[in-house]
Each structure stands twice: as C-alpha cells, then as structure tokens.
Amino acid sequence: MILQEADGRLSQPCTSLNGLHNRARLIRALYERLDRLQSCVPADEAAVSSP
C-alpha cells in the first residue's frame, strides 16, 4: 500500500521547489522504512536471500 501511494506521487512531475522538497521527504521516509525492514530480517535469512 505504501509503495503504491509513493509510486503515484513519484510518477508526477515536480514543477516547483516545494514539490521537490516533498519528493525528497517522501524518498527519505521510504528509505527509513526500508532500513527498518532490513533490520528485522534475521541474519541467516538475509544471507540466503542475498546473491
């Protein structure tokens, strides 16, 4: 759900400085959530899923 919402926002063109700031905030929030997800994966599972 979060990725679908972000995809909708990121697919729209940025035409103002405020739009760029909002896009940067959104990308930062997505990376923070990704970091939290990666820290929840057990070390054994992370080693298996990484090539």
Side-chain angles (χ1 to χ4, degrees):
M1 181 172 86
I2 292 170
L3 291 176
Q4 288 175 344
E5 185 177 320
D7 184 40
R9 290 182 187 177
L10 292 174
S11 63
Q12 298 174 357
C14 286
T15 57
S16 68
L17 186 57
N18 190 33
L20 290 173
H21 283 164
N22 287 336
R23 182 171 286 204
R25 281 189 216 107
L26 175 60
I27 292 170
R28 188 178 316 123
L30 288 172
Y31 273 110
E32 287 172 0
R33 289 179 182 202
L34 178 63
D35 288 343
R36 278 189 260 146
L37 285 174
Q38 289 177 341
S39 67
C40 292
V41 176
D44 294 341
E45 219 175 288
V48 171
S49 63
S50 297

